[in-house]
Amino acid sequence: MDQTQCYGFGFEPGTEAFAQCMMGLHQDRAAAEAASNRYWSAQLAEQNRRREAQRDLYKVMSLQRSGDTHFPVCGASYDGGMDHRTMTWYGPNCRAR
């Protein structure tokens, strides 16, 4: 496909100009792929940051509800997770023990 494109630009196969055209197309594609990788890495990092912030909020909410019997005690079946530092469950609609 690159050869067809370079030939379409008027470069003759086997010439230095044709080789430069091929190299340029390859470098453009590599730069575009690198930019795409940086974009998706940044997107993934942002998703992870937001997920961690949500977990932190759930932990705080669960701790604030400790002792409030209007909320069930958090467990594995609740949205949220386990705080491995304190070995306690947390979630958006439950309380820590």
Side-chain angles (χ1 to χ4, degrees):
M1 190 166 73
D2 288 348
Q3 290 177 352
T4 302
Q5 190 170 7
C6 288
Y7 185 75
F9 290 152
F11 299 112
E12 291 294 323
T15 65
E16 180 68 24
F18 189 84
Q20 290 294 325
C21 176
M22 293 287 289
M23 180 76 71
L25 292 175
H26 172 75
Q27 289 173 338
D28 290 348
R29 191 171 23 264
E33 184 176 343
S36 177
N37 288 342
R38 284 190 303 274
Y39 171 80
W40 289 113
S41 292
Q43 291 297 310
L44 181 59
E46 178 63 17
Q47 283 179 344
N48 288 338
R49 188 196 63 73
R50 287 179 188 214
R51 190 176 300 120
E52 191 62 33
Q54 187 70 51
R55 286 187 195 131
D56 290 345
L57 176 63
Y58 288 168
K59 288 176 190 178
V60 169
M61 290 167 55
S62 296
L63 286 172
Q64 287 176 343
R65 294 182 187 132
S66 288
D68 186 346
T69 57
H70 292 96
F71 293 94
V73 174
C74 298
S77 63
Y78 289 90
D79 290 338
M82 175 178 262
D83 184 348
H84 295 284
R85 188 177 47 79
T86 62
M87 299 305 288
T88 57
W89 292 99
Y90 62 87
N93 300 313
C94 55
R95 64 181 162 98
R97 295 186 183 258

